[in-house]
Amino acid sequence: MRKKVTVVGSGNVGATTALRLAHAELCDVVMTDIVEGIPQGKALDMLQAGPITGSDSRITGTNDYKETANSDVVVVTAGFPRQPGMSRDDLLMKNYEVIKATTEKIIEYSPNTILVMVTNPLDAMCQAALRVSKFPKHRVIGMAGVLDSARFRTFIAEALNVSVENVQGFVLGGHGDEMVPVVSYSSVAGIPLTDLMDAATLEAIVKRTRGGGGEIVKYLKTGSAFYAPSAAVFEMVEAILKDKKKILPCAAYLEGEYGINGLYVGVPCKLGEKGIEKIYEVKLTPNETELLKKSAEAVRELINVIKC
Ligand code: APR
């Protein structure tokens, strides 16, 4: 029997994720949304692409959580984008309410699932889902690091005119302006990045990575990125469903690792069928440690607002 994945929120990120999962024939997909008709219509459209793309995955759309029952993984993309006049805290509270409501529904029908959170502000929404679900921490994971690292790797490959496949690099910390692209662990085909690039170029890439999401919002004006985010979710879900034991940067609940306690922060994790199977504590330079702490403090400020 094929695995089952529910995608909550059938907007740009949700729908693109559903399409990627189904067309790779990785699992059956249930799409949900608060808006009636949207998940049904998009799911039907995607399903009809199956004969062309050669996928027998079933895709269904619903507004009823009953149909999401016994999902192996639930990807949560439901939420609102920031609108003009809305403060960061307004958005935080609005999306917190969405996460609370959707998490309660998800766990009612899939008590053993693994939650992959996408809604922003990511780290705070992970924490909200952890508290509401009362799941063990290895079953609530946030997607941020894979995306931020992909942006970092794209810019490095572009600057050096090499294949993106050669570029290893990861980004730690919260999914915000304070994220930490870790230069000391980044390399191109095993060659340290610092041997290939001067400090100024590297600094410019780090800066562009931090603002990677914002750069796209500026172009789109009314929406945010979804192609790369959905690709990042796909890689995480695939690692879980295929029990790949893949090491990826994910938002994980830290209890002392990196000197951070009781907070979701992006760190290297091993993803397999149980969710997060191991958190790796890599040695950072004093500067990177300092930046990671600063990034965690920014996450803590959000948690203080939603009080969870
Ligand atoms: N239950 C289910 N779906 C909901 C709910 C809810 N309570 N509230 C809102 N939604 C749905 C909306 O109806 C919409 O279809 O969530 C969807 C969000 O889609 P988009 O507005 O297209 O946003 P998207 O670009 O997909 O981003 C979703 O992911 O990357 C993050 O910052 C991004 O937080 C945002 C999320």
Side-chain angles (χ1 to χ4, degrees):
M1 210 171 94
R2 266 191 298 273
K3 302 273 188 178
K4 178 172 176 178
V5 173
T6 289
V7 180
V8 181
S10 301
N12 281 336
V13 179
T16 317
T17 299
L19 186 69
R20 288 186 191 279
L21 293 170
H23 283 185
E25 230 177 21
L26 186 63
C27 51
D28 287 338
V29 181
V30 179
M31 297 172 64
T32 73
D33 202 282
I34 200 158
V35 180
E36 281 181 26
I38 291 289
Q40 290 88 340
K42 289 190 179 181
L44 188 58
D45 188 12
M46 288 180 201
L47 187 70
Q48 292 165 358
I52 305 166
T53 61
S55 168
D56 282 309
S57 282
R58 281 181 49 76
I59 320 174
T60 49
T62 183
N63 303 107
D64 184 350
Y65 279 83
K66 253 189 223 136
E67 291 177 46
T68 70
N70 301 317
S71 293
D72 296 285
V73 172
V74 177
V75 177
V76 182
T77 75
F80 295 98
R82 192 159 155 192
Q83 274 147 4
M86 209 182 200
S87 75
R88 275 173 99 94
D89 285 356
D90 290 342
L91 176 73
L92 176 67
M93 288 316 293
K94 222 170 157 198
N95 279 350
Y96 172 56
E97 292 305 324
V98 170
I99 295 307
K100 231 166 63 179
T102 52
T103 304
E104 278 164 6
K105 286 287 183 194
I106 293 160
I107 64 167
E108 186 183 341
Y109 293 101
S110 298
N112 301 314
T113 196
I114 293 171
L115 294 173
V116 175
M117 306 301 297
V118 184
T119 305
N120 277 314
L122 191 268
D123 309 276
M125 295 303 107
C126 288
Q127 193 124 340
L130 181 80
R131 298 283 182 249
V132 174
S133 66
K134 299 190 174 66
F135 277 8
K137 60 182 180 178
H138 63 272
R139 287 205 277 128
V140 183
I141 314 163
M143 187 292 290
V146 177
L147 168 64
D148 296 329
S149 304
R151 287 179 173 148
F152 188 44
R153 292 164 63 197
T154 303
F155 301 145
I156 292 168
E158 213 171 48
L160 295 173
N161 191 26
V162 298
S163 165
V164 288
E165 289 184 83
N166 279 145
V167 184
Q168 290 289 322
F170 65 89
V171 175
L172 303 183
H175 185 48
D177 305 339
E178 312 281 347
M179 69 177 81
V180 189
V182 187
V183 173
S184 58
Y185 282 88
S186 302
S187 63
V188 178
I191 308 164
L193 205 50
T194 41
D195 290 0
L196 297 169
M197 245 178 216
D198 59 70
T201 311
L202 197 48
E203 189 44 44
I205 288 178
V206 166
K207 196 168 165 224
R208 192 172 175 199
T209 302
R210 288 209 178 102
E215 187 178 350
I216 291 169
V217 170
K218 241 190 227 162
Y219 283 120
L220 297 179
K221 293 191 178 67
T222 55
S224 50
F226 55 97
Y227 292 116
S230 58
V233 176
F234 178 88
E235 187 176 25
M236 291 171 66
V237 174
E238 184 186 42
I240 295 166
L241 294 185
K242 291 186 175 172
D243 192 23
K244 282 176 81 80
K245 319 281 188 203
K246 199 169 190 178
I247 300 171
L248 294 169
C250 305
Y253 189 69
L254 300 188
E255 289 178 302
E257 298 91 343
Y258 294 94
I260 297 166
N261 206 11
L263 213 56
Y264 267 88
V265 174
V267 291
C269 299
K270 187 201 285 180
L271 289 194
E273 63 178 351
K274 293 188 183 67
I276 294 180
E277 299 190 352
K278 186 178 165 69
I279 291 173
Y280 292 86
E281 267 190 277
V282 298
K283 230 174 130 193
L284 300 175
T285 64
N287 183 42
E288 286 164 350
T289 306
E290 200 44 47
L291 289 171
L292 186 64
K293 280 219 174 100
K294 225 173 121 193
S295 176
E297 276 161 27
V299 177
R300 178 82 69 196
E301 277 174 26
L302 301 180
I303 297 302
N304 289 342
V305 176
I306 58 173
K307 297 183 180 67
C308 75

